[in-house]
C-alpha cells in the first residue's frame, strides 16, 4: 500500500486514513483469524520531501535516518511501529523532465543534489520566481525597497548579499555565499509558506 500524507490530523489522521482505505482487507483478515497481522505501508516520494522524517514522527522516535538534503536514505529499511511495518525507500525522480519548470522547482526545494548544480544560477532563478510570485515576501525578509525589488535577479542577489554584509576585499559581494544563504532560507521556510505551482486558469 502506498500512502500520501496530505490528509490533516497528523499521525493519527494518517493511521485513520490507512485503516479506512484497508477496511475491507482488515475485515477479510479478521474472518481468517489474522486480525493481529501487521499492516505494511510503503512511504514513497521524491528526494528530500520528508519521508524519513514522517516515519520518525509516525514512530514517535528517530527510527529512520533523516537529514535536510537528498540522498540520505541509501536503501530500503523497515521500521516497525505498533501494528505497522513501514518501508522507507530512497527518493525517486522521473528519468527525464519534460518541463524545465518542474526541474527548476525540484532543484529549489532540494530534491536534486546541489553539488550537480550551479548554486548562483539556482539562487538567481529562485529570486526570479519569487519576484514574480511573492515579491512582498522578498521585500519583507531582506528589507528591500521597491527599486531594489525591481532589479535584475542577479543584481538582486548582490543586493541581498550586501545587505547581509557578505563582502569580500574591495567591497565585492560574495555572491556564492549569498546564494547559499538565500536557498537555505527558502528551504527553511524563512520566506514563509509558498507554493511554486498554481492551478491552471480555466
Amino acid at each position: 500500500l502506498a500512502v500520501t500524507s496530505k490528509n490533516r490530523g497528523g499521525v493519527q489522521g494518517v493511521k485513520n486514513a490507512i485503516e479506512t482505505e484497508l477496511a475491507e482487507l482488515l475485515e477479510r483478515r479478521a474472518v481468517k483469524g489474522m486480525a493481529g497481522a501487521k499492516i505494511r505501508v510503503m512511504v514513497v516520494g521524491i528526494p528530500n520531501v520528508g519521508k524519513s522524517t514522517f516515519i520518525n514522527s509516525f514512530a514517535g522516535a528517530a527510527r529512520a535516518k533523516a537529514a535536510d538534503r537528498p540522498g540520505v536514505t541509501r536503501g530500503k529499511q523497515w521500521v516497525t511501529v505498533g501494528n505497522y511495518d513501514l518501508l522507507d525507500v530512497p527518493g525517486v525522480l522521473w528519468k527525464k523532465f519534460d518541463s524545465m519548470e518542474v526541474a527548476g522547482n525540484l532543484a529549489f526545494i532540494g530534491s536534486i543534489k546541489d553539488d550537480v548544480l550551479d548554486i548562483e544560477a539556482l539562487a538567481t532563478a529562485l529570486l526570479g520566481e519569487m519576484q514574480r510570485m511573492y515579491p512582498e515576501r522578498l521585500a519583507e525578509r531582506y528589507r528591500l525597497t521597491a527599486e531594489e525589488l525591481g532589479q535584475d535577479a542577479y543584481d538582486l542577489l548582490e543586493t541581498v548579499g550586501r545587505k547581509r554584509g557578505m563582502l569580500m576585499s574591495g567591497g565585492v559581494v560574495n555572491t556564492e555565499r549569498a546564494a547559499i544563504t538565500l536557498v537555505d532560507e527558502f528551504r527553511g521556510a524563512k520566506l514563509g509558506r509558498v507554493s511554486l505551482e498554481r492551478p491552471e486558469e480555466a
Side-chain angles (χ1 to χ4, degrees):
L1 171 68
V3 185
T4 66
S5 58
K6 291 180 181 178
N7 59 302
R8 301 179 185 274
V11 171
Q12 189 56 51
V14 173
K15 291 180 179 179
N16 292 341
I18 293 171
E19 292 172 4
T20 298
E21 186 70 24
L22 296 181
E24 292 184 12
L25 173 62
L26 296 176
E27 186 177 340
R28 290 198 301 271
R29 282 185 173 183
V31 170
K32 295 179 180 179
M34 300 170 59
K38 291 188 181 298
I39 299 172
R40 287 190 160 190
V41 179
M42 177 188 293
V43 182
V44 64
I46 62 176
N48 203 38
V49 77
K51 296 181 295 298
S52 298
T53 299
F54 166 76
I55 287 176
N56 290 336
S57 296
F58 197 94
R63 303 283 295 280
K65 190 174 182 181
D68 188 20
R69 62 181 188 278
V72 171
T73 302
R74 297 293 184 179
K76 295 181 292 185
Q77 52 182 331
W78 285 100
V79 176
T80 299
V81 183
N83 198 38
Y84 296 86
D85 281 335
L86 305 178
L87 178 60
D88 191 15
V89 298
V92 292
L93 284 173
W94 300 264
K95 289 185 177 180
K96 65 177 182 178
F97 301 110
D98 295 327
S99 166
M100 290 305 296
E101 180 182 354
V102 170
N105 288 346
L106 289 169
F108 295 153
I109 64 174
S111 293
I112 297 174
K113 290 184 178 180
D114 288 339
D115 56 10
V116 301
L117 303 168
D118 181 320
I119 192 64
E120 291 181 46
L122 180 65
T124 300
L126 176 58
L127 275 174
E129 286 299 292
M130 291 296 294
Q131 282 176 301
R132 181 174 65 86
M133 300 177 73
Y134 298 97
E136 71 286 352
R137 301 288 177 84
L138 285 176
E140 181 181 356
R141 180 67 185 174
Y142 301 112
R143 299 179 180 177
L144 300 170
T145 65
E147 183 179 355
E148 289 169 337
L149 196 58
Q151 294 179 108
D152 170 87
Y154 188 81
D155 291 339
L156 183 54
L157 179 63
E158 287 191 320
T159 297
V160 169
R162 187 172 289 107
K163 284 179 176 285
R164 288 294 181 87
M166 299 175 180
L167 303 177
M168 301 184 291
S169 60
V172 177
V173 176
N174 186 335
T175 49
E176 180 180 11
R177 183 181 168 197
I180 292 170
T181 298
L182 177 81
V183 172
D184 283 349
E185 291 189 352
F186 173 79
R187 292 173 182 170
K190 299 292 178 62
L191 291 167
R193 298 181 65 180
V194 303
S195 173
L196 294 169
E197 296 179 338
R198 292 180 177 175
E200 294 182 9
E201 294 184 2

